[in-house]
Amino acid sequence: MSLFAGIDCGTQGTKVVIVDSEQGAILGEGSAAHPLISDSNGRREQQAGWWIEALVAAFHQAVSHAGVDARQIKALGVSGQQHGFVPLDEQGTVLHNVKLWCDTETVDENEALLAQLGGVSGSLAQLGLMVATGYTASKIIWFKQQHPELWSRLHTVLLPHDYLNFWLTGERVMEYGDASGTGLLNVRTREWDRRIVDLIDDSGRLWNALPPLKSAESCIGTLRSEAAERLGLSTATRVATGGGDNMMAAIGSGNIAVGTLTMSLGTSGTLFAWSAAPVVSESEMIAGFCSSTNGWLPLICTMNVTSATSAVQALLEEDVDGFNRLLDQAEPGAGGLEMLPFFNGERVPQLPYARASLHNLDSDNFTRANLCMAVVESATYGLRYGMELFRRQGISPREIRLTGGGARSPRWRQIVADVMNCPVVCLQVKETAALGGAIQAMWATALAEEPHQQADGVLSDLCQRFVSLDESTRAAPDARRQPQYDALYQRYLQRLQQAYPEASL
């Protein structure tokens, strides 16, 4: 029995899967929640220590569920929410709460940095992508300006998954996929960009705080004694590079070749596809990230998916099952009720100051069921907005692989198929980012033990073994509803452009 573990540290909690590489099976899963610090000014933060406690709890739960001796686990791979800023001092102390991917408090700092780069075109030319609010760069500027006494102690800049790697191994490193989302990496050359770093801080402190970069199939080290003791593992357990949650979900959904697109209906909404070369996009809203498979992963992220549906669910005092029952009672178009679901501002389209709104209410359509339908449809229209940008770049998938909590709703899956006019299907393993971490750990271990193997072939074989589709979830576009949703999407665009003229495609 050869055991591996995948860890996913997300916004809402940490999840762990234990995988037997010989049987090709997941033996156990565990999860633990973390709280969120939020404010109406866009502040979204967490304490890094919460992630460690959640990791330990979820890990023991997964091992117990698997019924195995944890000391048999050969390697770990860590997935983490992207763009977070974890500042460490020389001793490894976290200097401030971690500002998360969904933090929009640093809008002004990002706009100032973008202007210094020469606007959108200058950022695309310099880095291969547009520095966006939510990326790590503007968080660093905010930290430097708001906390100069802490800035003077800054020794290392890490991302959330890197911090877990640091706690596990003591190593301060990044890999190219997650590093792409800092706004400090040239995604075409895969190098830290000295010009943008010096625009933020020309003293050398930030440049020296950027960790070395490791390729995706590498192991970065083995477990520290403290981490091994708390997790019940051997100090010989390897730790792979890991990556951002989207990069790991690409591996965990088998999205490692052209033709497949992964769509996450999570707190945020993401669309991403694989590319063998850097994506030179006509739209700055497509982030041409590196993948965690040594390729590229063009990606679009919307800020309001299950975060928006959860807000409506809480308002109606319904659990997920109750929300879905209400959703099933509503017809396409929600009786004319329209929503712009921008509870957290929005990234695609670029509307960081936007707020959610309801439109076209009357005494007949203002029902609980229509409110549920309106928020689901509007969140899905936001993802179609992103899909249209992909199609303009020649990215037209044959199939969409759905992940995230929203994908568990049969009605929502059908709505996605109808709105996107593309077949959709879920994966047998729901925790695709955690599974991706485990697969990457197997990949890195196989190459460490037999370095002369072809890296791409090893990864492809692993994905074929571990990534399987749940055919019971497959949904194809409905011939009657799909044209109806084309018209409803156009109505959404009209509403969007009335409220935010700058949002036109």
Side-chain angles (χ1 to χ4, degrees):
M1 181 182 291
S2 294
L3 301 181
F4 296 83
I7 298 159
D8 178 35
C9 176
T11 314
Q12 297 178 335
T14 293
K15 297 157 188 171
V16 175
V17 297
I18 308 297
V19 176
D20 181 347
S21 65
E22 294 176 4
Q23 294 182 32
I26 291 179
L27 304 182
E29 301 182 26
S31 64
H34 356 102
L36 177 68
I37 301 166
S38 64
D39 201 346
S40 60
N41 68 351
R43 180 188 184 202
R44 301 289 187 276
E45 298 174 354
Q46 287 175 333
Q47 294 181 16
W50 295 344
W51 303 337
I52 303 303
E53 297 310 311
L55 166 59
V56 172
F59 201 92
H60 286 297
Q61 187 184 121
V63 169
S64 176
H65 183 210
V68 298
D69 181 351
R71 290 171 296 181
Q72 294 179 285
I73 294 174
K74 296 179 67 174
L76 317 174
V78 179
S79 160
Q81 50 183 303
Q82 287 191 255
H83 311 309
F85 171 44
V86 188
L88 300 187
D89 67 10
E90 190 170 2
Q91 289 70 44
T93 302
V94 180
L95 295 171
H96 191 272
N97 287 345
V98 180
K99 296 190 85 62
L100 305 180
W101 65 272
C102 48
D103 185 285
T104 56
E105 187 178 3
T106 64
V107 169
D108 292 342
E109 289 82 358
N110 191 77
E111 289 183 352
L113 179 61
L114 195 58
Q116 286 180 287
L117 284 168
V120 171
S121 60
S123 182
L124 288 170
Q126 186 72 27
L127 301 171
L129 49 69
M130 186 196 75
V131 178
T133 300
Y135 285 15
T136 315
S138 61
K139 299 175 174 66
I140 295 172
I141 299 170
W142 178 92
F143 179 68
K144 180 185 178 187
Q145 293 175 347
Q146 298 297 320
H147 300 282
E149 72 290 353
L150 296 177
W151 173 263
S152 68
R153 294 170 53 196
L154 179 70
H155 184 271
T156 312
V157 171
L158 295 180
L159 300 171
H161 106 266
D162 304 318
Y163 179 71
L164 290 183
N165 280 347
F166 169 69
W167 182 80
L168 290 165
T169 67
E171 298 293 329
R172 308 184 192 207
V173 298
M174 279 194 200
E175 59 81 43
Y176 297 98
D178 212 4
S180 305
T182 61
L184 305 175
L185 188 85
N186 184 319
V187 297
R188 296 182 178 118
T189 65
R190 297 177 183 263
E191 297 173 324
W192 294 122
D193 190 274
R194 187 64 188 251
R195 181 186 172 215
I196 193 168
V197 170
D198 286 348
L199 287 175
I200 294 171
D201 170 58
D202 61 5
S203 72
R205 178 173 296 280
L206 178 56
W207 181 256
N208 292 327
L210 296 177
L213 294 158
K214 300 277 285 186
S215 59
E217 78 286 3
S218 305
C219 288
I220 64 170
T222 55
L223 289 183
R224 296 184 306 118
S225 57
E226 179 194 349
E229 182 178 352
R230 290 199 67 185
L231 296 173
L233 300 173
S234 163
T235 54
T237 304
R238 289 186 170 102
V239 178
T241 59
D245 52 1
N246 294 304
M247 290 76 191
M248 292 293 101
I251 297 174
S253 59
N255 188 350
I256 59 170
V258 173
T260 298
L261 185 139
T262 304
M263 176 184 291
S264 173
L265 304 179
T267 306
S268 64
T270 50
L271 300 167
F272 45 87
W274 183 86
S275 175
V279 173
V280 182
S281 173
E282 295 175 359
S283 171
E284 69 278 8
M285 288 181 279
I286 297 177
F289 293 148
C290 302
S291 72
S292 290
T293 58
N294 298 324
W296 280 264
L297 195 77
L299 180 147
I300 284 170
C301 177
T302 66
M303 301 285 277
N304 300 275
V305 181
T306 62
S307 58
T309 60
S310 294
V312 172
Q313 181 184 318
L315 175 69
L316 300 180
E317 298 182 339
E318 292 284 354
D319 59 14
V320 172
D321 289 339
F323 180 91
N324 284 329
R325 282 193 297 270
L326 288 168
L327 186 63
D328 282 336
Q329 295 170 20
E331 295 296 323
L337 191 66
E338 301 172 51
M339 177 180 284
L340 298 179
F342 306 138
F343 292 89
N344 295 315
E346 190 49 86
R347 183 179 294 174
V348 175
Q350 297 169 55
L351 301 169
Y353 297 110
R355 292 293 180 264
S357 55
L358 281 171
H359 304 270
N360 203 36
L361 284 74
D362 61 37
S363 57
D364 293 323
N365 69 13
F366 190 42
T367 67
R368 290 158 57 87
N370 281 336
L371 188 57
C372 294
M373 177 60 81
V375 70
V376 165
E377 288 181 335
S378 62
T380 308
Y381 297 149
L383 288 164
R384 172 156 171 184
Y385 187 103
M387 178 70 85
E388 295 300 326
L389 294 173
F390 266 180
R391 284 172 170 151
R392 291 183 182 188
Q393 287 297 120
I395 302 171
S396 294
R398 296 183 295 271
E399 177 180 85
I400 296 172
R401 296 185 177 179
L402 286 178
T403 68
R408 296 173 188 173
S409 164
R411 184 69 185 277
W412 200 342
R413 291 196 298 269
Q414 186 61 57
I415 289 170
V416 172
D418 294 338
V419 170
M420 303 297 169
N421 193 22
C422 184
V424 305
V425 65
C426 295
L427 289 300
Q428 289 282 1
V429 176
K430 308 307 179 189
E431 307 303 342
T432 50
L435 176 61
I439 292 173
Q440 193 202 53
M442 289 182 244
W443 185 32
T445 299
L447 294 174
E449 293 177 346
E450 298 183 45
H452 300 299
Q453 298 180 86
Q454 183 182 14
D456 291 349
V458 173
L459 178 62
S460 178
D461 289 346
L462 286 168
C463 285
Q464 286 179 16
R465 289 188 64 203
F466 285 95
V467 178
S468 54
L469 305 180
D470 182 355
E471 291 297 337
S472 70
T473 67
R474 185 174 292 277
D478 181 270
R480 179 179 58 84
R481 284 190 304 267
Q482 195 279 316
Q484 184 180 2
Y485 268 117
D486 271 347
L488 289 169
Y489 174 66
Q490 295 304 317
R491 185 186 73 175
Y492 171 82
L493 286 182
Q494 292 172 4
R495 179 66 66 186
L496 175 65
Q497 289 158 16
Q498 287 171 6
Y500 303 101
E502 67 273 30
S504 56
L505 275 165

